[in-house]
Amino acid sequence: AAGLVPSAVAFLSHESSGPHRRNQAGEVRFYLQYAWRSQLTIPGFYRDGDVISRPLVRSLIILLRALSAQSHSALFVTPFLAESRQYFKDEGNRLSAELDAAAYLRRIEARLAGEGARCESVLGSDLKGSILRVVLEEMVAGHVEAIVEKGQ
């Protein structure tokens, strides 16, 4: 996968502006988007313990960044944060009902550490603040009263 990044970037950034080149670039973008959507924007894959190829994910992120900030944002950051928000909202609702306050807070702490480490090693440190904010908003802010009541 690492070899894919330089060759795809070179291909997509080629100076030719003919219709054949534009069609090829559009086709590459289509397949990248398909691969991305089908494998990488589903936060539950790795959050629930399924094994994914971290080098492949990292290579695709680098490729999207190389294409453009707009591609990276549209194809990855925006869908990733939206799906993460829903994932952590659902998890917060489920766990706040199941766990006592101390166990719930430990789970939040573990999620924050895991998401931070994942951003540093795979997703990119530029995403770290955004995903940690999502975790806090969905798992803490929406459950403060329940946490306090269970902690008494």
Side-chain angles (χ1 to χ4, degrees):
L4 169 71
V5 174
S7 59
V9 170
F11 173 79
L12 292 172
S13 62
H14 191 272
E15 293 299 319
S16 173
S17 61
H20 181 66
R21 173 63 66 189
R22 280 195 299 271
N23 288 341
Q24 287 177 334
E27 190 173 324
V28 169
R29 283 191 180 101
F30 170 79
Y31 287 116
L32 284 172
Q33 184 175 12
Y34 175 78
W36 196 259
R37 287 237 174 251
S38 66
Q39 296 294 320
L40 307 176
T41 60
I42 303 173
F45 273 10
Y46 61 86
R47 291 182 179 133
D48 290 336
D50 292 341
V51 176
I52 62 169
S53 172
R54 287 178 178 230
L56 175 60
V57 174
R58 185 78 177 142
S59 292
L60 286 172
I61 290 170
I62 291 168
L63 178 59
L64 284 174
R65 282 190 186 128
L67 289 172
S68 73
Q70 183 180 5
S71 294
H72 179 250
S73 180
L75 294 176
F76 176 64
V77 175
T78 300
F80 177 78
L81 290 175
E83 290 181 28
S84 295
R85 183 168 299 283
Q86 186 61 51
Y87 180 89
F88 288 118
K89 180 179 181 178
D90 294 345
E91 184 174 68
N93 290 336
R94 182 177 53 80
L95 294 178
S96 67
E98 293 175 7
L99 302 174
D100 62 44
Y104 184 68
L105 292 173
R106 282 192 300 273
R107 184 65 67 95
I108 293 169
E109 185 176 46
R111 279 296 188 199
L112 289 168
E115 292 300 312
R118 192 172 292 97
C119 283
E120 293 292 332
S121 66
V122 178
L123 303 176
S125 58
D126 56 322
L127 193 57
K128 186 175 180 179
S130 297
I131 192 63
L132 295 181
R133 195 169 20 265
V134 166
V135 173
L136 289 171
E137 288 171 0
E138 297 304 328
M139 293 190 75
V140 177
H143 303 281
V144 171
E145 290 180 24
I147 294 168
V148 171
E149 285 178 21
K150 285 187 171 192
Q152 294 179 353

